[in-house]
PDB file of all heavy atoms in Angstrom:
ATOM      1  N   ASP A 210      21.164  16.653  29.637  1.00  0.00           N
ATOM      2  CA  ASP A 210      19.886  17.013  30.266  1.00  0.00           C
ATOM      3  C   ASP A 210      18.846  15.959  29.944  1.00  0.00           C
ATOM      4  O   ASP A 210      18.127  16.020  28.965  1.00  0.00           O
ATOM      5  CB  ASP A 210      19.410  18.375  29.754  1.00  0.00           C
ATOM      6  CG  ASP A 210      18.298  18.962  30.553  1.00  0.00           C
ATOM      7  OD1 ASP A 210      17.558  18.150  31.208  1.00  0.00           O
ATOM      8  OD2 ASP A 210      18.062  20.178  30.525  1.00  0.00           O
ATOM      9  N   ARG A 211      18.765  14.919  30.811  1.00  0.00           N
ATOM     10  CA  ARG A 211      17.841  13.809  30.574  1.00  0.00           C
ATOM     11  C   ARG A 211      16.383  14.277  30.628  1.00  0.00           C
ATOM     12  O   ARG A 211      15.513  13.766  29.916  1.00  0.00           O
ATOM     13  CB  ARG A 211      18.096  12.707  31.577  1.00  0.00           C
ATOM     14  CG  ARG A 211      19.360  11.872  31.286  1.00  0.00           C
ATOM     15  CD  ARG A 211      19.215  11.127  29.953  1.00  0.00           C
ATOM     16  NE  ARG A 211      20.257  10.186  29.702  1.00  0.00           N
ATOM     17  CZ  ARG A 211      20.212   8.909  29.985  1.00  0.00           C
ATOM     18  NH1 ARG A 211      19.158   8.378  30.541  1.00  0.00           N
ATOM     19  NH2 ARG A 211      21.242   8.112  29.720  1.00  0.00           N
ATOM     20  N   ALA A 212      16.063  15.199  31.538  1.00  0.00           N
ATOM     21  CA  ALA A 212      14.709  15.627  31.699  1.00  0.00           C
ATOM     22  C   ALA A 212      14.218  16.356  30.444  1.00  0.00           C
ATOM     23  O   ALA A 212      13.106  16.099  29.951  1.00  0.00           O
ATOM     24  CB  ALA A 212      14.595  16.577  32.914  1.00  0.00           C
ATOM     25  N   ALA A 213      15.057  17.213  29.883  1.00  0.00           N
ATOM     26  CA  ALA A 213      14.685  17.912  28.659  1.00  0.00           C
ATOM     27  C   ALA A 213      14.586  16.960  27.515  1.00  0.00           C
ATOM     28  O   ALA A 213      13.690  17.081  26.631  1.00  0.00           O
ATOM     29  CB  ALA A 213      15.726  19.010  28.350  1.00  0.00           C
ATOM     30  N   TYR A 214      15.448  15.948  27.477  1.00  0.00           N
ATOM     31  CA  TYR A 214      15.412  14.917  26.407  1.00  0.00           C
ATOM     32  C   TYR A 214      14.101  14.151  26.484  1.00  0.00           C
ATOM     33  O   TYR A 214      13.459  13.905  25.469  1.00  0.00           O
ATOM     34  CB  TYR A 214      16.592  13.952  26.530  1.00  0.00           C
ATOM     35  CG  TYR A 214      16.774  13.078  25.315  1.00  0.00           C
ATOM     36  CD1 TYR A 214      17.494  13.508  24.229  1.00  0.00           C
ATOM     37  CD2 TYR A 214      16.188  11.834  25.273  1.00  0.00           C
ATOM     38  CE1 TYR A 214      17.623  12.722  23.089  1.00  0.00           C
ATOM     39  CE2 TYR A 214      16.312  11.023  24.154  1.00  0.00           C
ATOM     40  CZ  TYR A 214      17.038  11.472  23.064  1.00  0.00           C
ATOM     41  OH  TYR A 214      17.182  10.667  21.923  1.00  0.00           O
ATOM     42  N   ALA A 215      13.659  13.821  27.717  1.00  0.00           N
ATOM     43  CA  ALA A 215      12.404  13.084  27.892  1.00  0.00           C
ATOM     44  C   ALA A 215      11.221  13.894  27.392  1.00  0.00           C
ATOM     45  O   ALA A 215      10.243  13.314  26.834  1.00  0.00           O
ATOM     46  CB  ALA A 215      12.235  12.726  29.356  1.00  0.00           C
ATOM     47  N   VAL A 216      11.275  15.198  27.550  1.00  0.00           N
ATOM     48  CA  VAL A 216      10.192  16.046  27.033  1.00  0.00           C
ATOM     49  C   VAL A 216      10.094  15.978  25.515  1.00  0.00           C
ATOM     50  O   VAL A 216       9.014  15.863  24.961  1.00  0.00           O
ATOM     51  CB  VAL A 216      10.390  17.525  27.465  1.00  0.00           C
ATOM     52  CG1 VAL A 216       9.447  18.457  26.783  1.00  0.00           C
ATOM     53  CG2 VAL A 216      10.246  17.667  28.996  1.00  0.00           C
ATOM     54  N   HIS A 217      11.227  15.947  24.871  1.00  0.00           N
ATOM     55  CA  HIS A 217      11.234  15.848  23.400  1.00  0.00           C
ATOM     56  C   HIS A 217      10.757  14.454  22.957  1.00  0.00           C
ATOM     57  O   HIS A 217      10.084  14.324  21.958  1.00  0.00           O
ATOM     58  CB  HIS A 217      12.648  16.117  22.862  1.00  0.00           C
ATOM     59  CG  HIS A 217      13.001  17.584  22.805  1.00  0.00           C
ATOM     60  ND1 HIS A 217      12.306  18.496  22.079  1.00  0.00           N
ATOM     61  CD2 HIS A 217      13.989  18.272  23.459  1.00  0.00           C
ATOM     62  CE1 HIS A 217      12.851  19.690  22.241  1.00  0.00           C
ATOM     63  NE2 HIS A 217      13.851  19.585  23.084  1.00  0.00           N
ATOM     64  N   VAL A 218      11.149  13.431  23.684  1.00  0.00           N
ATOM     65  CA  VAL A 218      10.672  12.098  23.376  1.00  0.00           C
ATOM     66  C   VAL A 218       9.148  12.026  23.475  1.00  0.00           C
ATOM     67  O   VAL A 218       8.474  11.476  22.604  1.00  0.00           O
ATOM     68  CB  VAL A 218      11.292  11.044  24.338  1.00  0.00           C
ATOM     69  CG1 VAL A 218      10.625   9.681  24.170  1.00  0.00           C
ATOM     70  CG2 VAL A 218      12.785  10.910  24.068  1.00  0.00           C
ATOM     71  N   ASP A 219       8.578  12.619  24.530  1.00  0.00           N
ATOM     72  CA  ASP A 219       7.142  12.645  24.651  1.00  0.00           C
ATOM     73  C   ASP A 219       6.469  13.414  23.506  1.00  0.00           C
ATOM     74  O   ASP A 219       5.399  13.044  23.006  1.00  0.00           O
ATOM     75  CB  ASP A 219       6.734  13.275  25.990  1.00  0.00           C
ATOM     76  CG  ASP A 219       7.026  12.354  27.163  1.00  0.00           C
ATOM     77  OD1 ASP A 219       7.211  11.152  26.977  1.00  0.00           O
ATOM     78  OD2 ASP A 219       7.120  12.898  28.327  1.00  0.00           O
ATOM     79  N   ALA A 220       7.106  14.497  23.074  1.00  0.00           N
ATOM     80  CA  ALA A 220       6.582  15.293  21.984  1.00  0.00           C
ATOM     81  C   ALA A 220       6.592  14.497  20.657  1.00  0.00           C
ATOM     82  O   ALA A 220       5.661  14.564  19.872  1.00  0.00           O
ATOM     83  CB  ALA A 220       7.379  16.602  21.844  1.00  0.00           C
ATOM     84  N   VAL A 221       7.701  13.732  20.417  1.00  0.00           N
ATOM     85  CA  VAL A 221       7.729  12.918  19.228  1.00  0.00           C
ATOM     86  C   VAL A 221       6.689  11.789  19.314  1.00  0.00           C
ATOM     87  O   VAL A 221       6.011  11.489  18.305  1.00  0.00           O
ATOM     88  CB  VAL A 221       9.130  12.307  19.048  1.00  0.00           C
ATOM     89  CG1 VAL A 221       9.160  11.238  17.959  1.00  0.00           C
ATOM     90  CG2 VAL A 221      10.147  13.398  18.720  1.00  0.00           C
ATOM     91  N   ARG A 222       6.484  11.259  20.481  1.00  0.00           N
ATOM     92  CA  ARG A 222       5.475  10.221  20.677  1.00  0.00           C
ATOM     93  C   ARG A 222       4.083  10.804  20.364  1.00  0.00           C
ATOM     94  O   ARG A 222       3.253  10.154  19.688  1.00  0.00           O
ATOM     95  CB  ARG A 222       5.510   9.659  22.095  1.00  0.00           C
ATOM     96  CG  ARG A 222       4.606   8.497  22.323  1.00  0.00           C
ATOM     97  CD  ARG A 222       4.754   7.899  23.714  1.00  0.00           C
ATOM     98  NE  ARG A 222       6.049   7.255  23.871  1.00  0.00           N
ATOM     99  CZ  ARG A 222       7.028   7.688  24.648  1.00  0.00           C
ATOM    100  NH1 ARG A 222       6.859   8.804  25.343  1.00  0.00           N
ATOM    101  NH2 ARG A 222       8.163   7.028  24.715  1.00  0.00           N
ATOM    102  N   ASP A 223       3.845  12.016  20.811  1.00  0.00           N
ATOM    103  CA  ASP A 223       2.556  12.666  20.493  1.00  0.00           C
ATOM    104  C   ASP A 223       2.410  12.908  19.006  1.00  0.00           C
ATOM    105  O   ASP A 223       1.314  12.724  18.405  1.00  0.00           O
ATOM    106  CB  ASP A 223       2.413  13.993  21.228  1.00  0.00           C
ATOM    107  CG  ASP A 223       2.265  13.807  22.720  1.00  0.00           C
ATOM    108  OD1 ASP A 223       1.870  12.714  23.181  1.00  0.00           O
ATOM    109  OD2 ASP A 223       2.473  14.772  23.496  1.00  0.00           O
ATOM    110  N   ALA A 224       3.465  13.333  18.365  1.00  0.00           N
ATOM    111  CA  ALA A 224       3.443  13.612  16.913  1.00  0.00           C
ATOM    112  C   ALA A 224       3.132  12.291  16.151  1.00  0.00           C
ATOM    113  O   ALA A 224       2.309  12.297  15.246  1.00  0.00           O
ATOM    114  CB  ALA A 224       4.760  14.225  16.472  1.00  0.00           C
ATOM    115  N   MET A 225       3.763  11.230  16.532  1.00  0.00           N
ATOM    116  CA  MET A 225       3.548   9.949  15.872  1.00  0.00           C
ATOM    117  C   MET A 225       2.223   9.340  16.196  1.00  0.00           C
ATOM    118  O   MET A 225       1.699   8.488  15.503  1.00  0.00           O
ATOM    119  CB  MET A 225       4.709   8.976  16.197  1.00  0.00           C
ATOM    120  CG  MET A 225       6.039   9.442  15.696  1.00  0.00           C
ATOM    121  SD  MET A 225       7.429   8.365  16.126  1.00  0.00           S
ATOM    122  CE  MET A 225       7.135   6.977  15.019  1.00  0.00           C
ATOM    123  N   SER A 226       1.596   9.859  17.268  1.00  0.00           N
ATOM    124  CA  SER A 226       0.253   9.391  17.668  1.00  0.00           C
ATOM    125  C   SER A 226      -0.822  10.195  16.981  1.00  0.00           C
ATOM    126  O   SER A 226      -2.018   9.938  17.205  1.00  0.00           O
ATOM    127  CB  SER A 226       0.121   9.439  19.163  1.00  0.00           C
ATOM    128  OG  SER A 226       1.069   8.544  19.797  1.00  0.00           O
ATOM    129  N   GLY A 227      -0.462  11.280  16.233  1.00  0.00           N
ATOM    130  CA  GLY A 227      -1.485  11.964  15.477  1.00  0.00           C
ATOM    131  C   GLY A 227      -1.554  13.469  15.650  1.00  0.00           C
ATOM    132  O   GLY A 227      -2.446  14.068  15.133  1.00  0.00           O
ATOM    133  N   ASP A 228      -0.556  14.063  16.337  1.00  0.00           N
ATOM    134  CA  ASP A 228      -0.552  15.547  16.494  1.00  0.00           C
ATOM    135  C   ASP A 228       0.751  16.111  15.957  1.00  0.00           C
ATOM    136  O   ASP A 228       1.750  16.190  16.689  1.00  0.00           O
ATOM    137  CB  ASP A 228      -0.740  15.907  17.961  1.00  0.00           C
ATOM    138  CG  ASP A 228      -0.983  17.409  18.140  1.00  0.00           C
ATOM    139  OD1 ASP A 228      -0.786  18.150  17.147  1.00  0.00           O
ATOM    140  OD2 ASP A 228      -1.346  17.843  19.252  1.00  0.00           O
ATOM    141  N   LEU A 229       0.745  16.547  14.715  1.00  0.00           N
ATOM    142  CA  LEU A 229       1.930  17.034  14.018  1.00  0.00           C
ATOM    143  C   LEU A 229       2.103  18.571  14.124  1.00  0.00           C
ATOM    144  O   LEU A 229       2.994  19.097  13.484  1.00  0.00           O
ATOM    145  CB  LEU A 229       1.901  16.628  12.553  1.00  0.00           C
ATOM    146  CG  LEU A 229       1.954  15.177  12.205  1.00  0.00           C
ATOM    147  CD1 LEU A 229       1.962  14.993  10.702  1.00  0.00           C
ATOM    148  CD2 LEU A 229       3.165  14.479  12.805  1.00  0.00           C
ATOM    149  N   ARG A 230       1.312  19.210  14.941  1.00  0.00           N
ATOM    150  CA  ARG A 230       1.372  20.683  14.929  1.00  0.00           C
ATOM    151  C   ARG A 230       2.699  21.254  15.253  1.00  0.00           C
ATOM    152  O   ARG A 230       3.174  22.220  14.609  1.00  0.00           O
ATOM    153  CB  ARG A 230       0.283  21.231  15.889  1.00  0.00           C
ATOM    154  CG  ARG A 230      -1.165  21.123  15.346  1.00  0.00           C
ATOM    155  CD  ARG A 230      -2.165  21.615  16.360  1.00  0.00           C
ATOM    156  NE  ARG A 230      -2.265  20.701  17.517  1.00  0.00           N
ATOM    157  CZ  ARG A 230      -3.057  20.904  18.541  1.00  0.00           C
ATOM    158  NH1 ARG A 230      -3.827  22.009  18.567  1.00  0.00           N
ATOM    159  NH2 ARG A 230      -3.116  20.068  19.554  1.00  0.00           N
ATOM    160  N   SER A 231       3.381  20.684  16.208  1.00  0.00           N
ATOM    161  CA  SER A 231       4.716  21.229  16.632  1.00  0.00           C
ATOM    162  C   SER A 231       5.724  21.053  15.482  1.00  0.00           C
ATOM    163  O   SER A 231       6.576  21.921  15.282  1.00  0.00           O
ATOM    164  CB  SER A 231       5.181  20.554  17.891  1.00  0.00           C
ATOM    165  OG  SER A 231       5.382  19.157  17.700  1.00  0.00           O
ATOM    166  N   VAL A 232       5.614  19.937  14.785  1.00  0.00           N
ATOM    167  CA  VAL A 232       6.556  19.679  13.661  1.00  0.00           C
ATOM    168  C   VAL A 232       6.201  20.619  12.503  1.00  0.00           C
ATOM    169  O   VAL A 232       7.161  21.172  11.875  1.00  0.00           O
ATOM    170  CB  VAL A 232       6.468  18.222  13.227  1.00  0.00           C
ATOM    171  CG1 VAL A 232       7.488  17.953  12.141  1.00  0.00           C
ATOM    172  CG2 VAL A 232       6.678  17.298  14.421  1.00  0.00           C
ATOM    173  N   VAL A 233       4.963  20.779  12.188  1.00  0.00           N
ATOM    174  CA  VAL A 233       4.561  21.675  11.093  1.00  0.00           C
ATOM    175  C   VAL A 233       5.037  23.101  11.377  1.00  0.00           C
ATOM    176  O   VAL A 233       5.600  23.751  10.487  1.00  0.00           O
ATOM    177  CB  VAL A 233       3.021  21.668  10.917  1.00  0.00           C
ATOM    178  CG1 VAL A 233       2.604  22.734   9.924  1.00  0.00           C
ATOM    179  CG2 VAL A 233       2.579  20.284  10.462  1.00  0.00           C
ATOM    180  N   GLU A 234       4.917  23.528  12.618  1.00  0.00           N
ATOM    181  CA  GLU A 234       5.352  24.892  12.965  1.00  0.00           C
ATOM    182  C   GLU A 234       6.859  25.035  12.806  1.00  0.00           C
ATOM    183  O   GLU A 234       7.326  26.021  12.248  1.00  0.00           O
ATOM    184  CB  GLU A 234       4.922  25.176  14.427  1.00  0.00           C
ATOM    185  CG  GLU A 234       5.343  26.572  14.870  1.00  0.00           C
ATOM    186  CD  GLU A 234       4.946  26.826  16.350  1.00  0.00           C
ATOM    187  OE1 GLU A 234       4.306  25.974  16.946  1.00  0.00           O
ATOM    188  OE2 GLU A 234       5.327  27.888  16.842  1.00  0.00           O
ATOM    189  N   ALA A 235       7.617  24.030  13.251  1.00  0.00           N
ATOM    190  CA  ALA A 235       9.071  24.109  13.176  1.00  0.00           C
ATOM    191  C   ALA A 235       9.534  24.089  11.712  1.00  0.00           C
ATOM    192  O   ALA A 235      10.416  24.888  11.312  1.00  0.00           O
ATOM    193  CB  ALA A 235       9.701  22.967  13.927  1.00  0.00           C
ATOM    194  N   VAL A 236       8.933  23.265  10.888  1.00  0.00           N
ATOM    195  CA  VAL A 236       9.371  23.177   9.487  1.00  0.00           C
ATOM    196  C   VAL A 236       8.981  24.454   8.742  1.00  0.00           C
ATOM    197  O   VAL A 236       9.747  24.951   7.909  1.00  0.00           O
ATOM    198  CB  VAL A 236       8.749  21.943   8.835  1.00  0.00           C
ATOM    199  CG1 VAL A 236       9.035  21.923   7.317  1.00  0.00           C
ATOM    200  CG2 VAL A 236       9.318  20.686   9.427  1.00  0.00           C
ATOM    201  N   HIS A 237       7.800  24.949   8.980  1.00  0.00           N
ATOM    202  CA  HIS A 237       7.371  26.192   8.317  1.00  0.00           C
ATOM    203  C   HIS A 237       8.286  27.356   8.718  1.00  0.00           C
ATOM    204  O   HIS A 237       8.609  28.230   7.863  1.00  0.00           O
ATOM    205  CB  HIS A 237       5.922  26.507   8.664  1.00  0.00           C
ATOM    206  CG  HIS A 237       4.961  25.659   7.899  1.00  0.00           C
ATOM    207  ND1 HIS A 237       3.583  25.717   8.094  1.00  0.00           N
ATOM    208  CD2 HIS A 237       5.103  24.753   6.908  1.00  0.00           C
ATOM    209  CE1 HIS A 237       2.988  24.881   7.271  1.00  0.00           C
ATOM    210  NE2 HIS A 237       3.906  24.293   6.533  1.00  0.00           N
ATOM    211  N   LEU A 238       8.710  27.404   9.974  1.00  0.00           N
ATOM    212  CA  LEU A 238       9.632  28.449  10.415  1.00  0.00           C
ATOM    213  C   LEU A 238      10.972  28.336   9.681  1.00  0.00           C
ATOM    214  O   LEU A 238      11.534  29.309   9.209  1.00  0.00           O
ATOM    215  CB  LEU A 238       9.816  28.371  11.935  1.00  0.00           C
ATOM    216  CG  LEU A 238      10.735  29.420  12.557  1.00  0.00           C
ATOM    217  CD1 LEU A 238      10.198  30.814  12.298  1.00  0.00           C
ATOM    218  CD2 LEU A 238      10.920  29.160  14.044  1.00  0.00           C
ATOM    219  N   ARG A 239      11.487  27.099   9.571  1.00  0.00           N
ATOM    220  CA  ARG A 239      12.715  26.882   8.850  1.00  0.00           C
ATOM    221  C   ARG A 239      12.580  27.252   7.366  1.00  0.00           C
ATOM    222  O   ARG A 239      13.467  27.908   6.809  1.00  0.00           O
ATOM    223  CB  ARG A 239      13.152  25.406   8.989  1.00  0.00           C
ATOM    224  CG  ARG A 239      14.365  25.021   8.158  1.00  0.00           C
ATOM    225  CD  ARG A 239      15.625  25.754   8.578  1.00  0.00           C
ATOM    226  NE  ARG A 239      16.028  25.467   9.922  1.00  0.00           N
ATOM    227  CZ  ARG A 239      16.803  24.419  10.290  1.00  0.00           C
ATOM    228  NH1 ARG A 239      17.231  23.566   9.350  1.00  0.00           N
ATOM    229  NH2 ARG A 239      17.124  24.243  11.555  1.00  0.00           N
ATOM    230  N   MET A 240      11.484  26.909   6.797  1.00  0.00           N
ATOM    231  CA  MET A 240      11.275  27.251   5.348  1.00  0.00           C
ATOM    232  C   MET A 240      11.196  28.753   5.144  1.00  0.00           C
ATOM    233  O   MET A 240      11.711  29.271   4.165  1.00  0.00           O
ATOM    234  CB  MET A 240       9.951  26.565   4.859  1.00  0.00           C
ATOM    235  CG  MET A 240      10.043  25.063   4.716  1.00  0.00           C
ATOM    236  SD  MET A 240       8.428  24.322   4.385  1.00  0.00           S
ATOM    237  CE  MET A 240       8.013  25.119   2.835  1.00  0.00           C
ATOM    238  N   ALA A 241      10.557  29.446   6.087  1.00  0.00           N
ATOM    239  CA  ALA A 241      10.474  30.917   5.993  1.00  0.00           C
ATOM    240  C   ALA A 241      11.845  31.566   6.050  1.00  0.00           C
ATOM    241  O   ALA A 241      12.121  32.483   5.301  1.00  0.00           O
ATOM    242  CB  ALA A 241       9.560  31.450   7.076  1.00  0.00           C
ATOM    243  N   ARG A 242      12.689  31.094   6.982  1.00  0.00           N
ATOM    244  CA  ARG A 242      14.025  31.636   7.091  1.00  0.00           C
ATOM    245  C   ARG A 242      14.840  31.360   5.815  1.00  0.00           C
ATOM    246  O   ARG A 242      15.595  32.235   5.382  1.00  0.00           O
ATOM    247  CB  ARG A 242      14.698  31.012   8.319  1.00  0.00           C
ATOM    248  CG  ARG A 242      14.126  31.500   9.651  1.00  0.00           C
ATOM    249  CD  ARG A 242      14.781  30.766  10.803  1.00  0.00           C
ATOM    250  NE  ARG A 242      14.254  31.267  12.085  1.00  0.00           N
ATOM    251  CZ  ARG A 242      14.542  30.688  13.278  1.00  0.00           C
ATOM    252  NH1 ARG A 242      15.307  29.651  13.306  1.00  0.00           N
ATOM    253  NH2 ARG A 242      14.013  31.191  14.377  1.00  0.00           N
TER     254      ARG A 242
END
Side-chain angles (χ1 to χ4, degrees):
D210 193 338
R211 284 297 188 95
Y214 192 86
V216 170
H217 283 299
V218 170
D219 288 341
V221 170
R222 186 175 292 110
D223 289 343
M225 296 177 74
S226 298
D228 189 349
L229 295 182
R230 285 178 291 179
S231 61
V232 184
V233 172
E234 181 180 355
V236 173
H237 282 176
L238 181 60
R239 173 63 64 87
M240 290 171 60
R242 290 175 178 172

